[in-house]
Amino acid sequence: MATIKDVAAQAGVSVASVSRAINDPSSVAPLTLERINSVIRKTSFAPNKLARSLKVQTSKSVAVIVPDISNPFHLKIIKGAEAVLSAAGYTLFIMDTEENAEKELRNLRDLLDRQIDGLVYIPVLTNQRLPRVLAEARIPLVVVDRSLGEDHDTVLSDNFGGISLLLSHLAEKGNRRVALIGGPETSRLGRERNEAYRVLVRKYHLEDNPHLVRSGEFTIEAGFRLARELIDENLAPEAVLATANLLGIGALKAFRELGFKVPQDLELVVFDEMGDLVDPPITHVRQQAYEMGAQATRFLLERLQGQPGSPRTVLFEPLLYLSSQNKT
Amino acid sequence: MATIKDVAAQAGVSVASVSRAINDPSSVAPLTLERINSVIRKTSFAPNKLARSLKVQTSKSVAVIVPDISNPFHLKIIKGAEAVLSAAGYTLFIMDTEENAEKELRNLRDLLDRQIDGLVYIPVLTNQRLPRVLAEARIPLVVVDRSLGEDHDTVLSDNFGGISLLLSHLAEKGNRRVALIGGPETSRLGRERNEAYRVLVRKYHLEDNPHLVRSGEFTIEAGFRLARELIDENLAPEAVLATANLLGIGALKAFRELGFKVPQDLELVVFDEMGDLVDPPITHVRQQAYEMGAQATRFLLERLQGQPGSPRTVLFEPLLYLSSQNKT
DNA sequence: ATGAAAGCGCTAACAG
DNA sequence: CTGTTAGCGCTTTCAT
C-alpha cells in the first residue's frame, strides 16, 4: 500500500502538502495540487484511516449493537440508523450480540477499543443498567427499545399504547375471554407489556382471570408451550394476545397443530409483525422500527456534534394492522 | 481515557513494560506484573486498538459484506462467519450494500481504509468481476454465493443440483407442465438456475415450452407479476418453480390473490426458504447458508495465516424440504 | 504556499 | 528483567 510519504516523494513535496491537498485543497497552490492529485491517482493512494483516527481522535464511525440481527424489528432499526448515518458521512458497524450478555460485553469492549465515536444500543434483555465499560467510556450513546433508565437518550415504543390498540380491537369485536401469552416478568419489556394487559383488561371490561395470563421467555418455544397450556387446560379463550413476534409464531404453530383455525376458531393478535406470508394475515401492531432507528441516530449525531442538554426519551406509537379477514 | 503512558507512570515503570505485561506477561517479573495489573484495573485501561493496529499492521478484523441483510440466506451466512471468526479472536464487521453497486464500492473503500485484514464477500448482482479497489488492495478474500471467476476462493451452492431436486420431485408426483419463474438472464445466478431448468426439463420429460419460462428481477414484485402473467395467459401450469425466495413470495401472493389454493390447485416449489409460517408449507430447497459462511471464513482464516495455494471453489448441495401436505 | 517537526498510542528491536 | 528509542501513517502547529 502506498503511504502519504510515497506520494510526497513522487510529487516532490512534503507530506504536509499532501495532507493538505487531501483535507483542505484550497490551501495549496493549484499547480502543486494538480501534481499531487495526479500521483494520488497513479498510485491509487488512500489515506490510512487508522492513522488518521489516531491523530485526530475521532474515527467517524458509530456502531449499532443489537441482540438479534435476524429479528426484523432490529433489522429495521439498523436500516433506519444506516440511512441517516451514511448521509452524515459516518460508517456504521453492525454487531450482533445474539441475546448473550457475555458476547455483548466482548463486543462493547472491542468497539470501544477501536475508538468508535458513538453507539446506538439495544441492550441484551438481562442487563438492567448500563454495563460498566460503557459507563466509563463516556461516549455518546442512545438506547433503543429497552430502557436502561433516565440517564441516557432513549427511543422506545409505547408498549402500553400498543397493547391497548390490540385489546380494544378484540373488545370491539365482542371478545371477552382474551388470554395473554407474555414475555418474562423479569424483563422490563415483558413486564411492561404484561402489566399493560392487566390494566387494560379492566378498562375494556374483559374477563379478568389470572389463569388466562401466561408468561415465559421471548422465544418461539415458549409461545408454543404456553399456547398448548391454554388449550390443554381447557381455558377456551376466544382470543389470544401474544406480546412479541416470536411468542406469536410459537402460538400460531401450536394452534394450527391442535387443529384450530386462526382466526375462525380462535383469534390471535400479536405485538410485532410476523411476516406477510402468514395466511390469513394476523392482526398485529407494528413498531415504527425504521423511524426509531433513524431518530435514535439523529439524537446520536446531535450529541456527537457536541449538543448538550439533559437526556431525552421519545416514545413511538405502534401502528395497528388489521387482518382483512375477520373472525366469523 | 487512560493511555499506556498513564499506566506506566502510575506503576513507576516504562511503557515497554506495560506493553509486555499485556502482550507477553511471562516476560515481566511477577512483582512488576502485579503492580502493573493493579494499575490497569484501577484505571480500567484498555489498549487503543487503532494505535496497536497501526503499529503491527494487522487489525485482527474482517468484514462480511452482503447485498441484503434482510435476506435470511445472507443472514445465515453472516452467522456462520461470525461463529468461526469470533472463535479465532477476530472481530467481524457487517456491511449491508442493499444491492447497490455504488454503496458497495463506498463500503469497500471504507473497509479497506480501515485496514481490515480480510473479507467475506457476497458481490452485488451487477458486478461480473472484482471491483478495482479490491483487486488493488490485495487482501485475502473469499467470494460467496455469486461467483466472480476462478481467481478467488469461492463458496457456492450447487444451483443445478438444487433445481434438479425440485424438478425431480415435481416429476415424480406426476406433473408435466411445470412453469419457471426465474431471475434475470443477465445475472450469472439467474442464468445458471434458468439454464438448469431448461436442461432438466428434458431430462425429466417435462413439457418443454418456452411460454412456460418467465424471468425478471429477483424481487417480490417480479415474482408477483410473472405469476399473474402465467395465469392471465391461460397457460394452466400444473406446477411452478420459482428460483429465489423473493420470486416465490411474490408468486405465492399472486396465486392466492387469484384464488388458487397452493398446493391443491397449483403446486409451487421454491429455491430457498420462505419462512416457516407459510401454511401449508411450501416444498423448497434450502441452501446450507450457515455452513457456507463458516466454510468461507475457514478459507479466509487459512489465507490470513499465510497458507498459499491456488484458489479453491467448493460447492454446497442444497437440501430438499418437502411440504408435508401434498397436492391431491 | 510550503516544509520541518512533534505527537496521536502503541510495539519491538536493542542495549544493558 | 527492564528501559530507551524508533517508527507505524497521518495531521497540525509553527516557521519561513
Side-chain angles (χ1 to χ4, degrees):
Chain A
M1 273 275 78
T3 77
I4 201 175
K5 223 163 159 180
D6 303 329
V7 176
Q10 286 190 46
V13 297
S14 74
V15 293
S17 292
V18 180
S19 178
R20 285 192 198 99
I22 293 164
N23 300 304
D24 182 16
S26 73
S27 74
V28 29
L31 264 78
T32 352
L33 185 60
E34 190 40 55
R35 207 143 33 87
I36 292 174
N37 279 334
S38 122
V39 177
I40 288 181
R41 253 176 273 118
K42 195 160 307 165
T43 56
S44 359
F45 164 75
N48 182 326
K49 288 206 173 155
L50 258 38
R52 169 166 225 288
S53 297
L54 181 58
K55 180 65 195 179
V56 302
Q57 298 290 349
T58 158
S59 60
K60 225 58 165 59
S61 69
V62 331
V64 51
I65 182 161
V66 305
D68 181 13
I69 206 182
S70 41
N71 185 327
F73 173 62
H74 296 155
L75 210 60
K76 282 180 198 149
I77 291 177
I78 294 177
K79 296 267 188 189
E82 157 71 15
V84 353
L85 220 49
S86 74
Y90 276 79
T91 301
L92 176 64
F93 293 125
I94 304 166
M95 296 252 133
D96 183 7
T97 50
E98 300 184 327
E99 295 285 10
N100 174 338
E102 256 182 77
K103 188 156 194 174
E104 178 183 62
L105 199 58
R106 274 214 313 279
N107 280 330
L108 284 175
R109 286 231 170 76
D110 199 85
L111 289 169
L112 294 171
D113 296 347
R114 288 195 146 81
Q115 314 298 115
I116 53 161
D117 296 337
L119 183 66
V120 173
Y121 181 39
I122 310 180
V124 163
L125 273 175
T126 52
N127 292 338
Q128 301 297 349
R129 43 178 303 117
L130 205 60
R132 199 156 153 274
V133 258
L134 251 188
E136 282 171 350
R138 315 201 141 281
I139 66 169
L141 89 172
V142 16
V143 178
V144 182
D145 184 39
R146 304 168 177 185
S147 171
L148 294 183
E150 310 293 301
D151 295 346
H152 324 93
D153 285 338
T154 308
V155 175
L156 301 173
S157 274
D158 181 0
N159 287 312
F160 190 90
I163 299 291
S164 179
L165 284 171
L166 258 10
L167 282 181
S168 79
H169 165 75
L170 289 177
E172 262 170 35
K173 286 177 69 184
N175 296 287
R176 283 294 159 264
R177 197 179 179 80
V178 177
L180 175 78
I181 293 185
E185 296 285 342
T186 49
S187 86
R188 173 160 179 154
L189 187 65
R191 202 180 334 115
E192 213 169 282
R193 291 183 186 166
N194 296 352
E195 191 54 31
Y197 165 88
R198 290 195 193 92
V199 171
L200 288 162
V201 152
R202 294 201 195 101
K203 169 161 176 201
Y204 294 124
H205 310 296
L206 304 176
E207 182 176 330
D208 187 0
N209 176 349
H211 291 105
L212 290 175
V213 180
R214 309 277 154 158
S215 68
E217 294 301 297
F218 278 125
T219 61
I220 293 180
E221 292 67 38
F224 188 88
R225 179 171 44 81
L226 299 174
R228 280 204 75 111
E229 279 180 27
L230 283 170
I231 302 305
D232 288 351
E233 297 179 19
N234 265 313
L235 288 161
E238 295 161 359
V240 171
L241 161 60
T243 67
N245 51 1
L246 294 181
L247 292 174
I249 291 170
L252 181 56
K253 280 192 173 177
F255 293 144
R256 281 180 179 168
E257 254 184 38
L258 293 168
F260 285 82
K261 290 242 173 289
V262 178
Q264 292 87 343
D265 303 335
L266 179 63
E267 176 145 16
L268 175 66
V269 301
V270 182
F271 200 111
D272 271 348
E273 51 192 312
M274 296 172 55
D276 53 355
L277 278 185
V278 180
D279 181 51
I282 300 281
T283 294
H284 64 280
V285 291
R286 209 173 283 186
Q287 303 184 66
Q288 301 191 51
Y290 185 91
E291 200 38 61
M292 287 169 73
Q295 180 57 58
T297 309
R298 275 183 228 113
F299 277 169
L300 186 62
L301 287 177
E302 289 174 12
R303 298 305 189 189
L304 286 174
Q305 281 150 24
Q307 182 172 123
S310 42
R312 300 157 288 184
T313 292
V314 28
L315 236 51
F316 278 83
E317 289 306 318
L319 273 17
L320 183 66
Y321 287 76
L322 293 178
S323 69
S324 40
Q325 186 173 343
N326 280 332
K327 186 174 170 179
T328 42
Chain B
M1 274 274 77
T3 77
I4 201 175
K5 224 164 157 179
D6 303 330
V7 176
Q10 285 190 46
V13 297
S14 75
V15 293
S17 291
V18 179
S19 178
R20 283 189 203 103
I22 294 165
N23 299 303
D24 182 15
S26 72
S27 75
V28 28
L31 263 79
T32 347
L33 185 60
E34 190 37 60
R35 202 142 38 86
I36 293 173
N37 279 334
S38 123
V39 176
I40 287 181
R41 255 176 269 119
K42 197 160 303 165
T43 56
S44 357
F45 164 77
N48 183 326
K49 289 206 174 157
L50 257 41
R52 169 167 224 286
S53 297
L54 181 58
K55 178 65 194 181
V56 302
Q57 298 290 352
T58 160
S59 59
K60 227 48 164 68
S61 68
V62 329
V64 51
I65 182 161
V66 305
D68 181 12
I69 204 180
S70 39
N71 186 327
F73 172 62
H74 296 154
L75 210 59
K76 283 180 198 152
I77 291 177
I78 294 177
K79 296 267 188 188
E82 157 71 15
V84 353
L85 220 49
S86 72
Y90 276 79
T91 301
L92 175 64
F93 293 126
I94 303 166
M95 297 251 127
D96 183 7
T97 51
E98 300 183 328
E99 294 286 7
N100 175 338
E102 256 184 78
K103 187 154 197 178
E104 179 184 60
L105 200 58
R106 275 213 313 280
N107 281 328
L108 284 175
R109 286 230 170 76
D110 199 86
L111 254 11
L112 294 171
D113 295 348
R114 284 180 203 280
Q115 314 297 116
I116 52 161
D117 298 335
L119 182 65
V120 172
Y121 180 38
I122 309 181
V124 163
L125 270 175
T126 53
N127 293 338
Q128 301 298 347
R129 43 178 302 116
L130 206 60
R132 200 158 152 274
V133 260
L134 250 188
E136 281 170 350
R138 312 199 142 282
I139 63 168
L141 89 172
V142 15
V143 178
V144 182
D145 185 39
R146 304 167 177 185
S147 169
L148 293 181
E150 309 294 300
D151 294 347
H152 324 92
D153 285 336
T154 307
V155 175
L156 300 173
S157 274
D158 180 0
N159 287 312
F160 189 89
I163 299 290
S164 180
L165 284 172
L166 258 10
L167 284 181
S168 79
H169 165 76
L170 289 177
E172 264 170 35
K173 286 176 68 183
N175 297 285
R176 283 294 160 262
R177 201 180 176 83
V178 177
L180 176 78
I181 294 185
E185 295 286 343
T186 49
S187 84
R188 172 158 179 157
L189 188 65
R191 201 181 333 115
E192 214 170 280
R193 292 184 186 167
N194 295 352
E195 192 54 30
Y197 165 89
R198 290 195 193 90
V199 170
L200 288 162
V201 150
R202 294 202 195 100
K203 168 162 178 199
Y204 294 122
H205 310 296
L206 304 176
E207 182 176 330
D208 186 1
N209 177 350
H211 290 106
L212 290 175
V213 180
R214 310 278 154 158
S215 68
E217 295 300 298
F218 278 126
T219 61
I220 293 179
E221 293 66 38
F224 187 88
R225 179 170 44 80
L226 298 174
R228 280 204 76 108
E229 279 180 27
L230 283 170
I231 302 305
D232 288 352
E233 296 179 19
N234 264 314
L235 287 162
E238 296 160 358
V240 172
L241 161 61
T243 69
N245 51 1
L246 294 180
L247 292 174
I249 292 171
L252 182 56
K253 280 192 174 176
F255 293 144
R256 280 180 179 167
E257 254 185 38
L258 292 167
F260 286 81
K261 289 243 174 289
V262 178
Q264 292 86 346
D265 302 337
L266 179 64
E267 175 145 18
L268 175 66
V269 300
V270 183
F271 200 111
D272 271 348
E273 51 193 313
M274 297 171 57
D276 53 354
L277 278 184
V278 179
D279 182 53
I282 301 281
T283 294
H284 63 280
V285 292
R286 210 173 280 185
Q287 303 182 70
Q288 303 191 51
Y290 185 91
E291 198 39 58
M292 288 169 74
Q295 180 57 59
T297 310
R298 275 182 229 115
F299 277 170
L300 186 62
L301 287 177
E302 288 173 12
R303 299 306 190 190
L304 287 174
Q305 283 150 25
Q307 181 170 124
S310 43
R312 300 157 289 185
T313 292
V314 27
L315 235 52
F316 277 83
E317 289 307 317
L319 273 16
L320 183 66
Y321 286 77
L322 293 177
S323 70
S324 41
Q325 186 170 345
N326 281 330
K327 186 175 171 181
T328 43

